[in-house]
Amino acid sequence: MPYIVPSLAETLEDRRLYTTSHLQEVPCMDCKAHVLVRKNSEHHTSIQWTQEAVANCTTFAKLARQDGGRPIHSGCPRLAASIEEAVRDGAVSVGSPDE
């Protein structure tokens, strides 16, 4: 499948806005994998995984050992709990600030 590289300034800004802006680092309370998180609302969470975080996630490691490997869109419930705790503690803010 060919990959289309955006070239319009508006498209590049949208990509930056949705993949890198206002991200806050959150460590998993279990395996200490660090991901970048943005909570746009109570029900919408964007998570950017690094290769290091994927490699350190014990849940992903267990899933990878299953027949067929880890489903690519599988999540980590331990990380989800860590993010929710970070929100409760005020370490992660909810809502997308205007730029």
Side-chain angles (χ1 to χ4, degrees), residues 4-64:
I4 298 171
V5 178
S7 60
L8 295 174
E10 296 86 3
T11 306
L12 292 169
E13 178 58 18
D14 284 344
R15 181 172 69 175
R16 186 196 67 75
L17 176 66
Y18 292 108
T19 60
T20 63
S21 73
H22 304 295
L23 294 171
Q24 298 164 285
E25 188 172 303
V26 175
C28 177
M29 294 181 295
D30 183 51
C31 66
K32 306 301 182 212
H34 287 246
V35 297
L36 297 173
V37 174
R38 182 175 61 237
K39 286 285 289 178
N40 291 329
S41 71
E42 179 183 343
H43 301 287
H44 182 263
T45 305
S46 294
I47 303 171
Q48 295 293 320
W49 285 82
T50 62
Q51 288 180 347
E52 181 180 3
V54 171
N56 289 334
C57 179
T58 55
T59 297
F60 282 4
K62 288 176 189 172
L63 290 171

